[in-house]
Amino acid sequence: MQPPIAPFRQFVVKVASRCDLACDHCYVYEHADTSWRGRPVVMSDETAIRVANRIAEHADEHRLEAVHVVFHGGEPLLAGIGRLRRFARALRRAAESVCDLDLDLHIHTNGVLLSRAFCDMFTDEGVRVGVSIDGDRPANDLHRRYANGRSSYDQAIRAVTLLRDDYPHLYAGLLCTVDIRNDPVAVYEALVELRPPRVDFLLPHANWDHPPLRPAGRDTAYAEWLITVHDRWRADGRPMQVRMFDSIILSALGGESQSESLGTRPSDLVVVETDGTYEQADSLKTAYDGAPATGLDASRHSLSEAARHPGFAARQSGLASLAEACRRCPLVTSCGGGLYAHRHRTGSGFANPSVYCADLFRLISHLTASERRSPAAPVHELPVATLDALASGRPTAADIAHLSAPQLSRARQAMRRAAAVIADRRSWSILVDAERTDRAAVDDLLSHPYVHAWADRCAAAGPALDPADAGHLAAVAAVAAVRTGLAVKVAVPAAGTFVHLPGLGRMRTGGQEHAEVEVHDGSFAVRVDGRWLSEDSPLWEPVRLIEAAGLRLLLDDVDPYRDCHGPAVEDRLTDEAAAVWSEATGAALASLPGDRRAAMRTALRVLTPLADATAGASSRAAYGALALPLGTDPGTAARLLVEHFHRAQLGALLDLLDLTGGDADRERLLTDAYGLLSVADSLTQAEQDRLTSAIGRIADAALPAPGRRFAARLAGAAADRTAQVASGRR
């Protein structure tokens, strides 16, 4: 009996073996391997069909749920629109023969030939597009030129702009090769300006026989370059995914790397050349002529036969395949010895540390130390005009929007801190996959007020974390899969007699401690007592929706983390009670002026009923949620909505700016005054006196400069509002 193999899940299909650029750092044409010279210029239709069938055969044999195929080259667009369309359809036809197989198709290009016609075809065939660009014009022109020396920068920018502006559904990301002669900040800013969903930074391919460019005395020059980029990226609130950084952080938290160049996960990638031959990773072409060759091909051999080749087997044995120095290294689980090709040295083969060993040690140490510290607040700009508008008590929707982006950054940081103390690699990996599929959907989930409140609770607990809180990560992961269309199964622990899915609802499970949740194509089912129950089950209690006056709000009376507001929350309302409460709340919203409703549309998403309360509440940990008492008339509900919405906005502002010198009593005083100012036209005399007193005490305090400005404008707005009310009463 043959030993089990690790199946391939990633297939790099070389549809063209030539390129229209002459990049001098290219690993295909500018390094040791010359096999490209004897290969067909483009892959034939017959070979493409044979390869497609081999991939489907492999997926079926190993019961794979998903495979990732990248059209590559050379320059793959040289294959032409018609041929690429036929290749994509051949792959999809073959994949359809395999039960429930998800085929993820990409193409990676230099962008020179990309056009609307190509993009229209990629839209039809479901092919996402990645583009290689090395940063700003000077950085890109250092290597990515035509054979006659002409720049390719304008064509690359045109291609990325086309994807970003007109075909965002195709825009997969950017690949940037590092050159330490380039300004790291200029490169980073140029890439960010292109608004990619993801950036891959690639260390230049080098090995011990052919070391990388390295200035004298700078053993960690590449690490320092990447650290500069990382620190700016982190300070900016991680505006896009960076696979290298995300992989290091994820593996440091106990997850798996998302890159073949880092971590100890067995390699699952195979290259198929234009003639149908199977090869190991392209990067091996930099080691010696013929290094990636296997002698196997799609016409005569299955992919499982290829997976048993010694070259692939050597990359699937984890720590055992690494040099002794690597196995002893404390960072080995994050580094994994670096990219396999970078370890090569004549005489000892690949049994060496990476030629970038010192760089990787410095980079990984810096990133993991940064992540383990309490993350620094991201840099978010707040225009002075917005600060003044907030102080007036009547901010516009645009002003409120300036507070939402920092709150998303806080939610993402809270999730990372929570993941650092929760030992659940499976759930974390699902979240990473979901984010890779649809970052916006995952951002929306992480921004859910009670998901944020849960993550904050976990992060604050640290080693004393309650197991029930830790288990909720599986529920969050399941909802991420629902929102992004992933197919997963995950065991979610029950809280009491329910399994909770944040933002969706809860399923009654009786006495089960865990329930299996299966997600597929955006729907889910929960296994209870041996039965699979869907949203149609009478045991399912969904989060209800309130739609009124242009707002869509969740009425959440089931989330286990909705108890963050202070006053006791109401348990699940009956359908009749929920209808009455929703009607009163809808009438309250409809009674508000249009500018108030517009501001709320920007930041309010959840309402939770309170039990035995007369006042509303909000929580700094649950931005976007308000808690309101039952049984209030629409007029009272309208006032409570406005007051506590504004209290929540001040809390978000205090997360962004130090207005009080960190004094908790001043913060409470300022919050009270700000809430009262927002409803100044309906204050009783006692409340008016309280507002006046609070503003006076704030004005007398020693405040930081932003606080002094805010307090002065707050006092002016209060005086104006008081005068208007007094004039109306006369």
Side-chain angles (χ1 to χ4, degrees):
M1 179 181 292
Q2 292 181 317
I5 62 171
F8 298 119
R9 288 179 169 83
Q10 300 184 70
F11 304 86
V12 176
V13 179
K14 295 302 190 77
V15 294
S17 66
R18 302 296 188 271
C19 191
D20 43 9
L21 295 183
C23 308
D24 59 13
H25 58 8
C26 179
Y27 56 80
V28 177
Y29 307 109
E30 302 296 333
H31 286 269
D33 187 87
T34 59
S35 60
W36 61 273
R37 296 180 185 276
R39 290 206 166 95
V41 173
V42 294
M43 181 177 282
S44 70
D45 285 11
E46 293 76 13
T47 300
I49 292 170
R50 190 176 299 122
V51 169
N53 290 334
R54 288 295 191 186
I55 292 173
E57 172 190 64
H58 191 68
D60 190 39
E61 177 184 352
H62 297 283
R63 299 182 180 179
L64 302 182
E65 294 180 352
V67 295
H68 178 76
V69 179
V70 181
F71 293 143
H72 212 279
E75 170 47 51
L77 296 186
L78 289 172
I81 293 174
R83 183 176 279 109
L84 288 172
R85 185 190 295 276
R86 294 194 298 275
F87 289 0
R89 290 184 176 179
L91 283 161
R92 294 217 178 271
R93 279 194 301 271
E96 287 170 1
S97 68
V98 183
C99 182
D100 295 330
L101 179 63
D102 180 20
L103 174 63
D104 182 31
L105 278 180
H106 282 62
I107 191 167
H108 197 84
T109 172
N110 59 35
V112 167
L113 295 177
L114 192 67
S115 64
R116 289 186 178 277
F118 270 113
C119 289
D120 289 340
M121 183 272 290
F122 292 147
T123 297
D124 293 341
E125 306 305 331
V127 182
R128 300 187 68 206
V129 184
V131 179
S132 294
I133 186 169
D134 288 346
D136 57 354
R137 184 183 293 275
N140 202 70
D141 285 354
L142 195 57
H143 299 287
R144 297 187 185 277
R145 293 179 172 272
Y146 289 90
N148 64 4
R150 184 164 58 91
S151 168
S152 67
Y153 179 74
D154 290 334
Q155 287 88 345
I157 290 295
R158 176 192 54 76
V160 176
T161 302
L162 177 66
L163 290 170
R164 181 194 66 197
D165 295 348
D166 296 344
Y167 297 89
H169 56 289
L170 300 180
Y171 191 14
L174 305 175
L175 185 146
C176 171
T177 300
V178 173
D179 191 307
I180 55 175
R181 293 170 293 182
N182 293 328
D183 179 351
V185 173
V187 168
Y188 166 81
E189 290 179 343
L191 296 175
V192 169
E193 187 175 349
L194 297 173
R195 301 198 300 276
R198 186 175 76 179
V199 169
D200 283 357
F201 286 106
L202 181 69
L203 289 169
H205 287 313
N207 54 49
W208 292 103
D209 292 344
H210 303 284
L213 171 70
R214 198 177 291 282
R218 294 181 61 196
D219 291 340
T220 58
Y222 290 90
E224 301 306 327
W225 195 98
L226 287 163
I227 285 170
T228 299
V229 173
H230 167 267
D231 289 353
R232 174 63 183 276
W233 170 76
R234 189 166 174 267
D236 285 350
R238 299 179 172 97
M240 69 279 188
Q241 296 180 65
V242 176
R243 186 160 66 165
M244 176 184 284
F245 301 159
D246 289 337
S247 291
I248 290 171
I249 293 166
L250 178 60
S251 59
L253 295 174
E256 291 186 340
S257 169
Q258 304 301 303
S259 169
E260 70 161 335
S261 64
L262 293 164
T264 56
R265 186 177 70 176
S267 174
D268 60 1
L269 181 147
V270 61
V271 176
V272 186
E273 292 287 352
T274 54
D275 57 2
T277 55
Y278 301 140
E279 291 207 337
Q280 300 172 69
D282 265 7
S283 54
L284 291 178
K285 294 178 184 292
T286 63
Y288 55 89
D289 198 7
T294 65
L296 307 175
D297 64 77
S299 64
R300 297 176 298 153
H301 306 94
S302 71
L303 282 159
S304 291
E305 290 177 90
R308 293 188 180 92
H309 184 277
F312 290 112
R315 305 183 62 195
Q316 295 177 344
S317 52
L319 292 174
S321 67
L322 301 182
E324 183 180 353
C326 293
R327 293 197 298 271
R328 295 197 308 265
C329 178
L331 303 182
V332 66
T333 55
S334 290
C335 173
L339 189 69
Y340 193 72
H342 295 170
R343 307 173 200 170
H344 185 261
R345 188 198 299 265
T346 299
S348 54
F350 298 95
N352 307 288
S354 169
V355 73
Y356 292 104
C357 178
D359 292 289
L360 292 171
F361 193 95
R362 172 80 178 96
L363 176 66
I364 293 169
S365 298
H366 179 85
L367 266 63
T368 52
S370 297
E371 201 62 27
R372 285 169 181 158
R373 292 193 299 268
S374 180
V379 176
H380 290 284
E381 294 183 357
L382 186 76
V384 172
T386 294
L387 181 66
D388 291 347
L390 289 165
S392 74
R394 295 299 292 261
T396 66
D399 297 319
I400 298 298
H402 281 289
L403 301 176
S404 298
Q407 287 299 311
L408 172 58
S409 296
R410 289 187 67 244
R412 294 182 67 84
Q413 289 168 1
M415 176 58 79
R416 281 186 164 85
R417 292 196 303 270
V421 296
I422 298 174
D424 183 353
R425 295 173 60 180
R426 166 66 173 158
S427 296
W428 182 246
S429 294
I430 292 172
L431 278 168
V432 170
D433 289 343
E435 183 174 77
R436 187 165 52 186
T437 301
D438 187 343
R439 175 169 176 152
V442 175
D443 280 347
D444 187 66
L445 172 60
L446 299 185
S447 298
H448 186 286
Y450 300 141
V451 172
H452 190 176
W454 159 78
D456 269 347
R457 183 183 299 186
C458 293
L465 180 65
D466 187 317
D469 293 335
H472 194 61
L473 178 60
V476 175
V479 176
V482 172
R483 290 182 173 226
T484 58
L486 295 182
V488 302
K489 285 185 180 179
V490 59
V492 177
T497 58
F498 295 96
V499 161
H500 294 267
L501 298 179
L504 300 180
R506 66 186 185 184
M507 184 74 79
R508 189 179 297 276
T509 61
Q512 290 184 206
E513 293 185 359
H514 291 77
E516 190 175 26
V517 178
E518 183 175 45
V519 180
H520 185 72
D521 290 337
S523 62
F524 66 89
V526 181
R527 190 174 179 85
V528 178
D529 292 333
R531 297 175 300 152
W532 285 103
L533 305 178
S534 69
E535 298 171 77
D536 297 329
S537 168
L539 298 181
W540 174 247
E541 297 180 356
V543 172
R544 300 179 177 102
L545 183 65
I546 299 174
E547 295 186 272
L551 280 80
R552 290 172 54 87
L553 304 175
L554 299 180
L555 193 175
D556 198 334
D557 54 3
V558 296
D559 195 287
Y561 297 93
R562 70 191 189 283
D563 60 353
C564 57
H565 298 284
V569 294
E570 187 70 45
D571 200 2
R572 177 70 171 179
L573 301 181
T574 65
D575 289 342
E576 294 78 9
V580 170
W581 199 73
S582 298
E583 185 177 353
T585 304
L589 290 167
S591 71
L592 297 177
D595 60 336
R596 296 277 200 195
R597 293 199 304 271
M600 288 184 179
R601 259 196 309 273
T602 304
L604 182 60
R605 57 189 293 180
V606 177
L607 295 178
T608 288
L610 293 175
D612 302 323
T614 57
S618 62
S619 169
R620 289 273 287 274
Y623 181 75
L626 296 181
L628 300 176
L630 290 171
T632 54
D633 61 88
T636 302
R639 172 181 160 150
L640 292 176
L641 276 167
V642 171
E643 179 180 353
H644 290 282
F645 176 78
H646 282 78
R647 285 173 177 262
Q649 303 321 303
L650 183 65
L653 181 61
L654 288 167
D655 288 334
L656 192 57
L657 290 177
D658 181 8
L659 301 180
T660 64
D663 187 293
D665 289 334
R666 290 177 191 164
E667 284 194 6
R668 283 192 290 270
L669 199 64
L670 186 61
T671 301
D672 191 41
Y674 192 67
L676 291 172
L677 174 64
S678 68
V679 290
D681 53 353
S682 63
L683 297 180
T684 64
Q685 187 58 55
E687 289 171 328
Q688 180 63 57
D689 293 343
R690 198 170 93 209
L691 173 60
T692 302
S693 172
I695 288 177
R697 290 167 62 189
I698 294 166
D700 291 340
L703 301 175
R708 291 197 301 272
R709 182 182 184 96
F710 189 86
R713 279 153 179 76
L714 182 68
D720 290 344
R721 205 69 52 80
T722 300
Q724 291 171 5
V725 171
S727 174
R729 285 175 179 165
R730 287 198 297 270

